[in-house]
Amino acid sequence: MSKVKLDEIDHQILDMLIDNTRTPFTDIAKKLLISAGTVHVRVKKMEEAGIIKGSSLTLDYVKLGYSFIAYIGIFLEKTHQTKFVLQRLKEIPYVTVAHITTGKFNIFCKIRAKDTTHAKNIIFKIDDIEGISRTETMISLEESINDKKRLMHTIFNEL
Amino acid sequence: MSKVKLDEIDHQILDMLIDNTRTPFTDIAKKLLISAGTVHVRVKKMEEAGIIKGSSLTLDYVKLGYSFIAYIGIFLEKTHQTKFVLQRLKEIPYVTVAHITTGKFNIFCKIRAKDTTHAKNIIFKIDDIEGISRTETMISLEESINDKKRLMHTIFNEL
Amino acid sequence: MSKVKLDEIDHQILDMLIDNTRTPFTDIAKKLLISAGTVHVRVKKMEEAGIIKGSSLTLDYVKLGYSFIAYIGIFLEKTHQTKFVLQRLKEIPYVTVAHITTGKFNIFCKIRAKDTTHAKNIIFKIDDIEGISRTETMISLEESINDKKRLMHTIFNEL
Amino acid sequence: MSKVKLDEIDHQILDMLIDNTRTPFTDIAKKLLISAGTVHVRVKKMEEAGIIKGSSLTLDYVKLGYSFIAYIGIFLEKTHQTKFVLQRLKEIPYVTVAHITTGKFNIFCKIRAKDTTHAKNIIFKIDDIEGISRTETMISLEESINDKKRLMHTIFNEL
Amino acid sequence: MSKVKLDEIDHQILDMLIDNTRTPFTDIAKKLLISAGTVHVRVKKMEEAGIIKGSSLTLDYVKLGYSFIAYIGIFLEKTHQTKFVLQRLKEIPYVTVAHITTGKFNIFCKIRAKDTTHAKNIIFKIDDIEGISRTETMISLEESINDKKRLMHTIFNEL
Amino acid sequence: MSKVKLDEIDHQILDMLIDNTRTPFTDIAKKLLISAGTVHVRVKKMEEAGIIKGSSLTLDYVKLGYSFIAYIGIFLEKTHQTKFVLQRLKEIPYVTVAHITTGKFNIFCKIRAKDTTHAKNIIFKIDDIEGISRTETMISLEESINDKKRLMHTIFNEL
Amino acid sequence: MSKVKLDEIDHQILDMLIDNTRTPFTDIAKKLLISAGTVHVRVKKMEEAGIIKGSSLTLDYVKLGYSFIAYIGIFLEKTHQTKFVLQRLKEIPYVTVAHITTGKFNIFCKIRAKDTTHAKNIIFKIDDIEGISRTETMISLEESINDKKRLMHTIFNEL
Amino acid sequence: MSKVKLDEIDHQILDMLIDNTRTPFTDIAKKLLISAGTVHVRVKKMEEAGIIKGSSLTLDYVKLGYSFIAYIGIFLEKTHQTKFVLQRLKEIPYVTVAHITTGKFNIFCKIRAKDTTHAKNIIFKIDDIEGISRTETMISLEESINDKKRLMHTIFNEL
């Protein structure tokens, strides 16, 4: 685990970046009464320590017509096909998450689709991957929580 | 659904932001041989159209000591408790995702924890929420895919 | 079981009505080279014998915006609530079919809804009926067969 | 979705047709104090708009000796056999409904049979279709609701 | 169904035979104040009508060292192997009952064994029958009811 | 376990009684070239040793209109209700067998009924017994083996 | 984790103790050509480092009449009863192992009993613990591996 | 079962050995006011009678870095592979227990591993054994009871 010791300034920088990754360093600097250079140095330090890996865009999937979310449990014919099947899943952009899991499934993944028909086509594409014997689908009726910010604040407060 | 029509320039901007949200607008401008102001206007347009909602930090959870991921299926005593239970789940920062789902579970959520013991404590906290009758946990042995970039490229290419 | 003996003419009338319930009796008469009165008498005879109960409109649910179909398995708290729960289900017009079944469910029903969100609301309404302890939903990705005509021809050919 | 705007007269015509598809247009005309021609024109308009697809005979299956209803969940060997298997199911007239579904089954269908022995033979025929690996049967002990009229009234009232 | 009409005397004879199949006809005759010949004629009549098929010995399986009872659910590779597998099951004398069933199993059977080890060997023998892909065993901890007499009295009272 | 040592004569007597319990002792005696008294003494000996408990009538349930067989798995609210629930089950004559079992059910029982509707009523009666929380029913499509004779011959041959 | 560094002598001592815990130190000393005192010092060191906790008697349970092993999955009414229920389980000496587990069970335990009837009584005692709603039992037909020695050798070889 | 009759002295010796297998015989002798030779003779007698089989080291697995425990249910392709698969499992030292079981699994085993990743590798090794078609894993969140001493005292008190 990272041995980086974060001070109060670091925490305040992180809190602002968690809330809005694109906050300009000058704004952060102004708020914390430090120089933009200092912000830059500290963010760089945290990136180099491996605490921050980068940042990713968040889209409004509903507005973009991608409101259909499903979880798919995959049963393999043989477990040694796991690596191969994961490679095939990576070729389907609608598969955003995939885990090797305990319990009845070998692989458990999450897809985003436009609607029922689109989901069916994605599921059929997955079902046809060599080595997959069967899949079970669970459909989301509402995405009630999708928020890593609370976790990030908690993790950084522990450092 | 959004009616915004994206042109070639918009797509190239999006592709760069997907790869690195913090790419300075001046860098984007330089690559596309346009002015930084134009980049700014176009990103603003896409934000106002609701296509881009913002950006979020990505952490190296393994380095930060949070390598344990589990999916938890929740059975409620009565469905009218759904809203209340989701509110309680939001108070647990380790719950990063929660869905109301079809199938045997009422709510399906994802947690990130430090290790088995930490996970046990989180699961116990969830189990003790009023209105929850039972939970089933599925543990991730490996997070093989966690990547929305492929989906983002696909969505934007369709616009 | 019905003791009515159907002759060749009856079968031909039934075959035409199965294909289009609203075929005018005069058209049927013309095709079979009999009088419209004869058609009327024979249809009446089959209605009185209880073979034909009536006819029902068929809608294009997809065009009407009702393309979402789900099957819902219901677990009751106690079986003596079955009658009461079925009465409540009848008050929800989106529940078009309901059976008391063997296997793990007490009641198994079918709903038609507009989309995922509408389905969620219907499922929540069902879940809140007094006496229902839990439901499990299975979503249709495609209505591949919905056709009683083949069965009707088969049944009548046996008479 | 259909853009047809229905007026009060259309709704009253539809309500009468839902209750009895074979109501003569002259009867409808008399009740609504309009001409039979007007009824004809309006029904035609709704058929052309795709709202009404046609009408189907309703039989008294119990009287006809077909009182046994079962739901059958089908597991396929490989999902790409779905189309082929559905084609085979269509050749069995006792299969009146079939869906491609989420959850543990690939295909979920409904059969009507004479009795336990007849059902066994139909299930055996289904089980023997190439590409089907296993089926699970759930038997109806009582068909408590089978009524689309409530839904139809609701849908038309929304138009 | 049998059309035989049973009178009071027939019922009294049946009641005595249900309680003890080997009751001599002379004893029955004495109790009912009729001749042994009459008893004989009436029993014969009921046998010919197919109401009584015969009688079977009842053993004290616990005393004989056969106290272990298990129910075994059988999954077949393909249903068309049902007849063949049932034939193989008949060759194992410890399989006393077997049904083709609805639900998840293809065949459901009952075995009597001496103890856990003996049961294991029988289950292994069943598992090795060609066409059986898997079995699930449910073990009896206590045979609480095994009594057809109550049913027999009920059936005869209805005739 | 019984210490009775059976000789060749005993075995031959048992084989004849297994095939037909009502075989007169004089017939057995004639075949084995021994006196009827000897047969009587030996049967008595085996009854006293507890090997034979009695005999029971076998009916033609199909001819008597009782062709519907179902297995019912019972979930109790609390296991200490087992004795009470078994007592209630004994009051339902259609319950011919009941076991306390391992696996997911607390009690597993077998019923014989006339048809689907009759079975539904029996299942409802069982479901309404105080202490039973839920039941699952598995229906027999064919009673393929119901034969204890093979087991009896095997057991006696071992003695 | 322990930081103790084991040398070749330690490993050889451990290997002998794994094979027979009661091997006198003088025997070990003789084999390794060191003094008994050295053996004593090194074992003490490993005990103090927490590597060795002690030793336990191994019985021949089959000879002692305890050949029946079962695994029992426990469903609690509420998870906050876990501690209380584990306390009650500890009072039943036949429960030798108990885990808080992921998956469908809250607690998963192992029992050793004399036979089916004894097991039933133990299961009933467990079922009657306040807070337990249901249990599922899986019975061992053969204890094929019960051997920690291979693991011990592996663990020590890694140190 | 063993016919050895244990007296009060034997019981006291056993109680001390259960608590600490390595208690020197001289200590036991002193406490019981008998000679060390007597202790030796009696322990030898119990070993020869097969009551005591030996003793095994108990390790502090958590301190040794082996805190991850999982139960794995194994489904075989065919049961006749049981012996072969068990042989393969024996070659994996992390598999400390394996049973042939009733219920849905063919074999049920227990593993000890270092952490999630180590467990995944062990599970993959098991999954790749020829003849295994699928496995299901249940992870221990806490080893709450692991204690055979209570059972040992109980068993010896019954002798």
Side-chain angles (χ1 to χ4, degrees):
Chain A
M1 209 215 286
S2 160
K3 305 224 167 77
V4 173
K5 218 33 226 147
L6 302 182
D7 65 13
E8 187 51 31
I9 299 291
D10 294 327
H11 277 127
Q12 291 185 337
I13 293 172
L14 280 169
D15 283 351
M16 274 181 266
L17 287 177
I18 287 170
D19 287 333
N20 180 4
T21 326
R22 287 193 61 88
T23 319
F25 286 177
T26 48
D27 287 18
I28 297 177
K30 210 176 291 174
K31 271 210 185 127
L32 301 185
L33 303 172
I34 55 176
S35 74
T38 306
V39 176
H40 196 262
V41 166
R42 280 162 178 268
V43 168
K44 191 139 210 162
K45 180 194 68 182
M46 294 190 283
E47 282 175 356
E48 276 161 3
I51 291 176
I52 306 177
K53 257 172 41 181
S55 68
S56 66
L57 227 51
T58 53
L59 308 188
D60 189 330
Y61 294 104
V62 175
K63 275 225 179 105
L64 287 160
Y66 276 74
S67 60
F68 199 98
I69 298 172
Y71 285 97
I72 301 176
I74 296 176
F75 296 90
L76 298 180
E77 275 153 21
K78 290 294 294 174
T79 323
H80 67 247
Q81 299 160 315
T82 308
K83 283 268 153 337
F84 172 83
V85 168
L86 284 167
Q87 214 53 47
R88 292 296 79 70
L89 287 174
K90 260 180 205 152
E91 293 163 8
I92 302 174
Y94 310 104
V95 176
T96 58
V97 178
H99 289 265
I100 299 176
T101 50
T102 67
K104 58 179 193 165
F105 304 123
N106 295 94
I107 296 173
F108 189 71
C109 67
K110 182 184 181 173
I111 64 164
R112 270 192 190 272
K114 293 177 194 170
D115 51 27
T116 313
T117 306
H118 189 209
K120 184 188 71 178
N121 292 335
I122 298 169
I123 294 167
F124 273 32
K125 215 175 270 179
I126 292 174
D127 274 319
D128 277 342
I129 292 174
E130 207 191 309
I132 289 183
S133 76
R134 230 158 54 71
T135 61
E136 269 187 39
T137 303
M138 180 168 75
I139 282 171
S140 166
L141 294 173
E142 185 190 294
E143 188 181 31
S144 312
I145 301 178
N146 189 349
D147 165 27
K148 296 203 194 80
K149 293 185 178 176
R150 293 142 45 246
L151 176 60
M152 289 180 186
H153 286 300
T154 305
I155 290 177
F156 290 136
N157 284 337
E158 284 173 355
L159 288 183
Chain B
M1 210 216 285
S2 161
K3 306 223 167 76
V4 172
K5 228 15 235 158
L6 302 182
D7 64 14
E8 187 50 32
I9 299 290
D10 294 326
H11 277 128
Q12 291 185 338
I13 293 172
L14 281 169
D15 282 353
M16 273 182 266
L17 288 177
I18 288 170
D19 287 333
N20 179 4
T21 327
R22 287 194 60 87
T23 319
F25 286 176
T26 48
D27 287 18
I28 297 177
K30 207 176 292 174
K31 273 212 185 124
L32 302 184
L33 303 172
I34 54 174
S35 74
T38 305
V39 176
H40 196 261
V41 166
R42 280 160 177 271
V43 168
K44 191 140 208 163
K45 180 193 69 183
M46 292 190 284
E47 282 175 356
E48 277 161 2
I51 292 176
I52 306 178
K53 257 172 44 181
S55 68
S56 69
L57 228 51
T58 52
L59 308 189
D60 188 330
Y61 293 103
V62 176
K63 273 226 179 106
L64 287 159
Y66 275 75
S67 60
F68 199 99
I69 298 173
Y71 285 97
I72 300 176
I74 296 176
F75 296 91
L76 299 180
E77 277 153 19
K78 292 291 295 173
T79 324
H80 66 248
Q81 300 161 316
T82 309
K83 283 267 152 340
F84 172 83
V85 168
L86 285 167
Q87 214 52 48
R88 292 296 78 72
L89 288 173
K90 260 180 204 152
E91 293 164 8
I92 303 174
Y94 310 105
V95 176
T96 58
V97 178
H99 288 265
I100 300 175
T101 49
T102 66
K104 59 179 193 165
F105 304 123
N106 295 94
I107 295 172
F108 189 71
C109 66
K110 181 182 181 173
I111 65 166
R112 269 192 189 273
K114 292 176 195 169
D115 51 27
T116 313
T117 307
H118 189 209
K120 185 188 71 179
N121 292 336
I122 297 169
I123 293 167
F124 273 34
K125 214 175 271 178
I126 291 173
D127 274 320
D128 278 342
I129 292 175
E130 206 192 311
I132 288 182
S133 75
R134 229 158 55 70
T135 61
E136 271 186 38
T137 303
M138 181 166 75
I139 282 171
S140 166
L141 294 173
E142 185 189 294
E143 187 181 32
S144 314
I145 301 178
N146 189 350
D147 166 25
K148 294 203 195 82
K149 292 183 179 177
R150 292 142 47 246
L151 177 60
M152 289 179 188
H153 286 300
T154 304
I155 290 178
F156 291 137
N157 284 336
E158 285 173 354
L159 289 182
Chain C
M1 212 218 282
S2 160
K3 307 225 169 73
V4 172
K5 228 18 232 158
L6 301 182
D7 65 14
E8 188 50 33
I9 299 291
D10 294 326
H11 277 127
Q12 291 186 337
I13 293 172
L14 281 169
D15 282 352
M16 275 183 265
L17 289 177
I18 288 170
D19 287 332
N20 180 4
T21 326
R22 286 193 63 86
T23 319
F25 287 176
T26 48
D27 287 19
I28 297 178
K30 210 176 290 174
K31 272 213 185 124
L32 302 184
L33 304 172
I34 53 176
S35 74
T38 304
V39 176
H40 196 263
V41 165
R42 278 161 179 270
V43 168
K44 190 139 209 162
K45 178 193 70 183
M46 294 190 283
E47 282 176 357
E48 277 162 1
I51 291 176
I52 306 177
K53 255 172 46 180
S55 69
S56 68
L57 227 50
T58 53
L59 309 188
D60 188 331
Y61 292 104
V62 176
K63 273 221 179 111
L64 287 159
Y66 275 76
S67 61
F68 199 99
I69 299 173
Y71 284 96
I72 300 175
I74 296 176
F75 295 90
L76 298 180
E77 276 154 19
K78 292 293 294 176
T79 323
H80 66 247
Q81 300 160 315
T82 309
K83 283 267 150 347
F84 171 82
V85 167
L86 284 168
Q87 212 55 46
R88 293 293 79 72
L89 288 173
K90 261 181 204 152
E91 293 164 8
I92 303 174
Y94 310 103
V95 176
T96 57
V97 177
H99 288 265
I100 300 175
T101 49
T102 67
K104 60 179 190 163
F105 305 123
N106 295 97
I107 295 172
F108 189 71
C109 66
K110 182 183 183 174
I111 63 165
R112 269 192 189 271
K114 292 176 196 170
D115 51 29
T116 314
T117 308
H118 189 210
K120 185 189 70 177
N121 292 334
I122 297 169
I123 293 167
F124 273 33
K125 214 175 270 179
I126 292 173
D127 273 319
D128 278 342
I129 292 175
E130 207 192 309
I132 289 181
S133 74
R134 230 160 55 70
T135 60
E136 271 187 40
T137 303
M138 181 168 74
I139 282 172
S140 167
L141 294 173
E142 184 189 295
E143 187 181 31
S144 313
I145 301 177
N146 190 350
D147 165 27
K148 295 203 195 80
K149 291 184 181 177
R150 291 140 49 245
L151 177 60
M152 288 181 187
H153 286 300
T154 305
I155 290 178
F156 290 138
N157 284 337
E158 284 173 353
L159 290 182
Chain D
M1 206 212 290
S2 159
K3 304 225 168 77
V4 172
K5 214 43 222 139
L6 302 181
D7 65 12
E8 188 51 34
I9 299 290
D10 293 327
H11 277 127
Q12 290 185 337
I13 293 171
L14 280 169
D15 283 351
M16 275 183 264
L17 288 177
I18 288 170
D19 287 334
N20 180 3
T21 325
R22 287 193 62 87
T23 319
F25 286 174
T26 47
D27 287 18
I28 296 178
K30 208 177 291 174
K31 270 209 186 129
L32 301 184
L33 303 172
I34 54 175
S35 73
T38 305
V39 176
H40 196 262
V41 166
R42 280 160 177 270
V43 168
K44 191 140 208 162
K45 180 193 68 183
M46 295 190 282
E47 282 174 357
E48 276 161 3
I51 291 176
I52 306 177
K53 257 170 46 180
S55 69
S56 68
L57 228 50
T58 52
L59 308 188
D60 188 332
Y61 293 103
V62 176
K63 273 222 179 109
L64 287 159
Y66 275 75
S67 61
F68 199 98
I69 298 172
Y71 285 96
I72 300 176
I74 296 176
F75 296 90
L76 298 181
E77 275 153 20
K78 291 293 294 174
T79 325
H80 66 247
Q81 300 161 316
T82 308
K83 283 266 150 347
F84 172 82
V85 168
L86 284 168
Q87 214 52 48
R88 291 296 80 68
L89 287 173
K90 260 180 206 151
E91 293 163 7
I92 304 174
Y94 310 104
V95 176
T96 58
V97 178
H99 289 264
I100 299 175
T101 51
T102 67
K104 59 179 193 164
F105 304 123
N106 295 95
I107 295 173
F108 189 71
C109 66
K110 181 181 181 176
I111 63 165
R112 270 191 188 272
K114 293 178 195 168
D115 51 28
T116 312
T117 306
H118 189 210
K120 185 188 70 178
N121 292 335
I122 298 169
I123 294 167
F124 272 33
K125 216 176 268 179
I126 292 174
D127 274 319
D128 278 342
I129 291 174
E130 205 191 312
I132 289 182
S133 75
R134 230 159 54 69
T135 61
E136 271 186 39
T137 303
M138 181 169 73
I139 283 172
S140 166
L141 294 172
E142 185 189 292
E143 187 181 32
S144 313
I145 300 178
N146 190 347
D147 166 27
K148 295 202 195 81
K149 293 185 178 177
R150 291 141 48 245
L151 177 60
M152 289 181 187
H153 286 300
T154 304
I155 290 178
F156 290 138
N157 283 337
E158 285 173 354
L159 289 182
Chain E
M1 207 214 289
S2 159
K3 304 226 169 77
V4 172
K5 218 37 224 142
L6 303 181
D7 65 12
E8 188 50 34
I9 298 291
D10 292 325
H11 277 126
Q12 291 186 338
I13 293 172
L14 280 169
D15 283 352
M16 274 184 264
L17 287 177
I18 288 170
D19 288 333
N20 179 3
T21 326
R22 288 194 61 88
T23 320
F25 287 176
T26 47
D27 286 17
I28 296 177
K30 208 178 290 174
K31 271 214 184 123
L32 301 185
L33 303 173
I34 53 176
S35 74
T38 305
V39 176
H40 196 263
V41 166
R42 279 159 178 270
V43 168
K44 191 138 207 164
K45 178 194 70 183
M46 294 189 283
E47 282 176 356
E48 277 161 2
I51 292 176
I52 306 178
K53 257 170 46 178
S55 69
S56 68
L57 226 50
T58 53
L59 306 189
D60 188 331
Y61 292 102
V62 176
K63 274 222 178 112
L64 287 159
Y66 275 75
S67 60
F68 199 97
I69 298 172
Y71 284 96
I72 300 175
I74 296 175
F75 296 89
L76 298 181
E77 276 153 21
K78 291 292 295 174
T79 325
H80 67 247
Q81 298 160 317
T82 308
K83 284 267 149 348
F84 172 81
V85 168
L86 283 167
Q87 213 53 46
R88 292 293 81 70
L89 287 173
K90 260 180 206 154
E91 292 164 7
I92 303 174
Y94 310 104
V95 176
T96 58
V97 178
H99 289 265
I100 299 175
T101 50
T102 68
K104 60 180 192 165
F105 304 123
N106 295 96
I107 295 172
F108 189 72
C109 67
K110 182 182 183 175
I111 64 165
R112 271 191 188 271
K114 291 177 195 169
D115 50 29
T116 313
T117 307
H118 189 209
K120 186 188 69 176
N121 292 335
I122 296 169
I123 293 167
F124 273 34
K125 213 176 272 180
I126 291 174
D127 273 319
D128 278 342
I129 291 174
E130 206 191 311
I132 288 181
S133 75
R134 231 160 53 69
T135 61
E136 271 187 40
T137 303
M138 181 168 73
I139 283 171
S140 166
L141 294 172
E142 185 189 294
E143 187 181 33
S144 312
I145 301 178
N146 190 348
D147 165 28
K148 294 205 195 80
K149 292 185 178 175
R150 290 141 49 246
L151 176 60
M152 289 180 186
H153 286 300
T154 305
I155 290 178
F156 290 138
N157 283 338
E158 284 173 353
L159 290 181
Chain F
M1 209 214 288
S2 161
K3 306 227 168 74
V4 172
K5 222 29 228 147
L6 301 182
D7 64 13
E8 188 49 35
I9 298 290
D10 293 326
H11 277 126
Q12 291 186 335
I13 293 173
L14 281 169
D15 282 351
M16 275 185 263
L17 288 177
I18 287 171
D19 288 333
N20 179 4
T21 326
R22 287 194 61 86
T23 320
F25 287 176
T26 47
D27 286 19
I28 297 176
K30 209 177 290 175
K31 272 213 184 124
L32 303 184
L33 303 173
I34 54 175
S35 75
T38 304
V39 176
H40 196 263
V41 166
R42 279 159 177 270
V43 169
K44 191 139 208 164
K45 179 193 69 183
M46 294 189 284
E47 282 175 357
E48 276 161 2
I51 291 176
I52 306 177
K53 256 171 47 180
S55 69
S56 68
L57 226 51
T58 52
L59 307 190
D60 188 330
Y61 293 103
V62 175
K63 273 222 180 112
L64 286 159
Y66 275 75
S67 60
F68 199 97
I69 298 173
Y71 284 96
I72 300 175
I74 295 176
F75 296 89
L76 298 180
E77 276 153 21
K78 292 293 294 173
T79 325
H80 67 246
Q81 299 161 316
T82 308
K83 283 267 150 351
F84 172 82
V85 167
L86 283 168
Q87 214 52 48
R88 291 295 79 72
L89 287 173
K90 261 181 204 152
E91 292 164 8
I92 303 174
Y94 309 103
V95 177
T96 58
V97 177
H99 288 265
I100 300 175
T101 49
T102 67
K104 60 178 193 166
F105 304 123
N106 295 96
I107 295 173
F108 188 72
C109 67
K110 181 182 182 175
I111 63 165
R112 269 191 188 272
K114 292 176 195 169
D115 51 28
T116 312
T117 307
H118 189 210
K120 185 188 70 176
N121 292 334
I122 296 169
I123 293 167
F124 273 33
K125 214 176 270 180
I126 291 173
D127 273 319
D128 277 342
I129 292 174
E130 208 191 310
I132 289 181
S133 76
R134 232 160 52 69
T135 61
E136 272 187 38
T137 302
M138 182 168 73
I139 283 172
S140 166
L141 294 173
E142 184 189 295
E143 187 180 33
S144 314
I145 301 177
N146 189 349
D147 165 28
K148 295 203 194 81
K149 291 185 179 176
R150 290 140 49 245
L151 176 60
M152 290 180 186
H153 286 301
T154 305
I155 291 178
F156 290 138
N157 283 338
E158 285 173 353
L159 289 182
Chain G
M1 208 215 287
S2 161
K3 306 225 168 76
V4 172
K5 221 31 228 148
L6 303 182
D7 65 12
E8 189 49 35
I9 299 289
D10 294 326
H11 277 128
Q12 290 186 337
I13 294 173
L14 281 170
D15 282 352
M16 274 183 265
L17 288 178
I18 287 169
D19 286 334
N20 180 4
T21 326
R22 287 195 61 88
T23 319
F25 286 175
T26 47
D27 286 18
I28 296 177
K30 208 175 293 173
K31 271 211 184 128
L32 302 184
L33 302 172
I34 54 176
S35 75
T38 304
V39 177
H40 196 262
V41 166
R42 281 161 176 270
V43 169
K44 191 142 210 162
K45 181 193 67 182
M46 294 190 282
E47 281 175 356
E48 277 161 1
I51 290 176
I52 306 178
K53 258 171 45 179
S55 69
S56 68
L57 227 51
T58 52
L59 308 188
D60 189 332
Y61 293 104
V62 175
K63 273 224 179 109
L64 287 159
Y66 275 75
S67 60
F68 199 99
I69 298 173
Y71 285 96
I72 300 176
I74 295 177
F75 296 90
L76 297 181
E77 276 154 19
K78 292 291 295 172
T79 325
H80 66 247
Q81 298 161 318
T82 308
K83 284 267 151 344
F84 172 83
V85 167
L86 284 167
Q87 216 51 49
R88 290 297 78 72
L89 288 174
K90 261 180 204 153
E91 292 164 8
I92 303 175
Y94 310 105
V95 176
T96 58
V97 178
H99 289 264
I100 300 175
T101 49
T102 67
K104 59 179 195 165
F105 304 123
N106 296 95
I107 296 172
F108 188 71
C109 67
K110 182 182 181 174
I111 65 166
R112 269 193 189 272
K114 293 177 194 168
D115 52 28
T116 313
T117 307
H118 190 209
K120 185 188 71 177
N121 292 335
I122 297 169
I123 294 167
F124 273 32
K125 215 176 268 179
I126 292 174
D127 273 319
D128 278 341
I129 292 174
E130 207 191 309
I132 289 181
S133 76
R134 230 158 55 69
T135 61
E136 271 186 38
T137 303
M138 182 168 73
I139 283 172
S140 165
L141 293 173
E142 185 189 294
E143 188 181 31
S144 313
I145 301 177
N146 189 348
D147 165 28
K148 296 203 195 79
K149 292 185 178 176
R150 292 143 45 246
L151 176 61
M152 290 180 186
H153 286 300
T154 305
I155 290 178
F156 290 137
N157 283 339
E158 286 172 354
L159 289 182
Chain H
M1 211 218 285
S2 158
K3 304 226 167 77
V4 171
K5 220 31 225 150
L6 302 181
D7 65 14
E8 188 49 32
I9 299 290
D10 294 326
H11 277 127
Q12 291 186 337
I13 293 172
L14 280 169
D15 283 351
M16 274 183 266
L17 288 177
I18 288 171
D19 287 333
N20 179 4
T21 327
R22 287 194 61 87
T23 320
F25 286 176
T26 47
D27 288 18
I28 296 176
K30 209 178 290 174
K31 272 214 184 123
L32 301 185
L33 304 172
I34 54 177
S35 75
T38 305
V39 176
H40 196 262
V41 166
R42 280 162 178 268
V43 168
K44 190 139 209 164
K45 178 195 69 184
M46 294 190 283
E47 283 176 354
E48 277 161 1
I51 291 177
I52 306 177
K53 258 172 43 181
S55 67
S56 68
L57 228 49
T58 53
L59 308 189
D60 189 331
Y61 293 103
V62 176
K63 273 222 180 110
L64 287 159
Y66 276 75
S67 60
F68 199 98
I69 298 173
Y71 285 97
I72 300 175
I74 296 176
F75 295 90
L76 298 180
E77 276 153 20
K78 291 293 295 174
T79 324
H80 67 248
Q81 299 160 315
T82 308
K83 283 269 152 342
F84 172 82
V85 168
L86 285 167
Q87 213 53 46
R88 292 295 79 71
L89 288 173
K90 257 179 206 154
E91 292 164 8
I92 303 174
Y94 311 104
V95 177
T96 58
V97 178
H99 288 266
I100 300 174
T101 49
T102 67
K104 59 179 192 163
F105 304 123
N106 295 96
I107 295 172
F108 188 72
C109 67
K110 182 183 182 174
I111 64 165
R112 271 192 188 271
K114 292 176 195 171
D115 50 29
T116 313
T117 306
H118 189 209
K120 184 188 70 177
N121 293 336
I122 298 169
I123 294 168
F124 273 32
K125 214 175 270 178
I126 291 174
D127 273 319
D128 278 341
I129 291 174
E130 206 192 310
I132 289 182
S133 75
R134 230 160 54 69
T135 61
E136 271 187 39
T137 304
M138 181 168 74
I139 282 171
S140 166
L141 294 173
E142 185 189 294
E143 187 181 31
S144 313
I145 300 177
N146 190 348
D147 166 26
K148 296 204 194 81
K149 292 185 179 177
R150 294 142 45 247
L151 176 61
M152 289 180 186
H153 286 300
T154 304
I155 290 178
F156 290 138
N157 283 338
E158 284 173 353
L159 290 181

